[in-house]
Amino acid sequence: EIGWCDWSSDVCSSDLDVINTAHQNGVKVILTVVNFDGDVIHTIMTNSTVKQTFFNNVKSRMIQYQLDGINIDFESLNTADRGDVVNNFMAELSAYVKSTNPEAEISFAGPAVNWSGWKFQGLANACDYIFIMGYSFWGSWSTTTGACAPLTGGSINIANTVNVQYSAVTQSAPEKLILGVPYYGLKWIARTSQPGASVIDWVSSTRFTTDQPNSQTYGLQWNTNNQVPWYRWQINDTSW
């Protein structure tokens, strides 16, 4: 099993307790490095000095806290950086870390849909595995309600992600793919009681710990098109 941790500051004693307990129970702990700024990511990946500093810092943190691997969660990459640039970067990072820790797991958080530029086969070759972010197909930007992670239905869905978007990797090295699934839902105020209703307003993301009991209160529904559960309740005559 793998525990995903995300630290933006120094690790405190409670974090160390979690790491130690995880290791005592045979659970690996992976450091996630996050950046969502395309221009900053470009500099990290292409400026040799910045890149080497990044490599040094990441490996140092990994050694300091006896972590089992590194996941690079770079999002909003510039289109030109999504192919060979990021693939070469990941290959270099992997070689650098594994030169002193051959067992380290180096991975990348990949998008559910290749809107343009990604070379997933090369990315899979450059690291140990790709963690597919199989969620946020709908969200705060949506004009209709929809599933966070639809299994089927529409032009993009989880089945399409695995069988089409990542087809080259799925067919050649499926062990290099980990499908990340959401333990959260999406909440809107909508105009009708049916799936795909027109949105009046976005409310928030929700959590399974709240959604499960709420679904028992309001009635669990099943969307056969997307193959996902959902629930609803009426606010007034014009909204749900």
Side-chain angles (χ1 to χ4, degrees):
E1 296 182 20
I2 300 174
W4 297 86
C5 296
D6 182 359
W7 295 302
S8 57
S9 59
D10 290 335
V11 177
C12 63
S13 59
S14 61
D15 293 320
L16 293 176
D17 290 340
V18 171
I19 295 171
N20 293 333
T21 302
H23 285 157
Q24 290 166 9
N25 288 275
V27 177
K28 296 177 180 178
V29 183
I30 306 297
L31 172 66
T32 301
V33 184
V34 180
N35 196 298
F36 292 174
D37 187 314
D39 292 335
V40 173
I41 294 170
H42 176 79
T43 299
I44 293 172
M45 296 194 300
T46 60
N47 182 299
S48 58
T49 301
V50 174
K51 179 167 59 177
Q52 190 58 54
T53 299
F54 178 87
F55 286 179
N56 292 341
N57 290 343
V58 166
K59 186 166 75 169
S60 175
R61 179 60 67 91
M62 181 179 163
I63 293 172
Q64 181 180 2
Y65 298 108
Q66 298 181 328
L67 303 173
D68 301 286
I70 300 163
N71 174 261
I72 300 298
D73 184 11
F74 284 175
E75 302 181 36
S76 302
L77 272 71
N78 298 330
T79 302
D81 291 334
R82 295 176 186 172
D84 293 337
V85 174
V86 67
N87 292 357
N88 291 338
F89 172 83
M90 290 302 299
E92 291 179 38
L93 173 63
S94 182
Y96 181 76
V97 173
K98 289 176 181 287
S99 65
T100 55
N101 187 351
E103 300 301 315
E105 296 184 3
I106 311 302
S107 61
F108 187 85
V113 179
N114 184 355
W115 294 112
S116 63
W118 294 95
K119 298 180 180 179
F120 291 138
Q121 182 68 74
L123 183 58
N125 293 340
C127 57
D128 292 303
Y129 51 85
I130 301 172
F131 178 87
I132 302 174
M133 296 181 286
Y135 35 78
S136 294
F137 284 78
W138 267 259
S140 60
W141 58 90
S142 302
T143 57
T144 63
T145 63
C148 181
L151 182 61
T152 58
S155 59
I156 56 172
N157 50 58
I158 294 298
N160 174 272
T161 292
V162 175
N163 297 320
V164 178
Q165 307 295 326
Y166 285 85
S167 60
V169 187
T170 302
Q171 294 169 18
S172 64
E175 71 279 1
K176 285 206 163 193
L177 296 177
I178 293 179
L179 179 61
V181 297
Y183 277 76
Y184 70 97
L186 308 170
K187 182 179 180 181
W188 293 274
I189 297 174
R191 296 191 185 281
T192 74
S193 63
Q194 297 304 307
S198 177
V199 166
I200 296 174
D201 196 17
W202 161 256
V203 180
S204 66
S205 296
T206 64
R207 296 293 179 266
F208 182 82
T209 52
T210 301
D211 287 333
Q212 197 282 329
N214 278 354
S215 71
Q216 303 305 305
T217 299
Y218 297 113
L220 185 65
Q221 307 287 327
W222 181 254
N223 182 330
T224 56
N225 182 47
N226 296 146
Q227 298 189 56
V228 295
W230 64 291
Y231 62 94
R232 67 194 174 193
W233 70 90
Q234 192 164 13
I235 300 174
N236 51 45
D237 290 341
T238 60
S239 60
W240 289 73

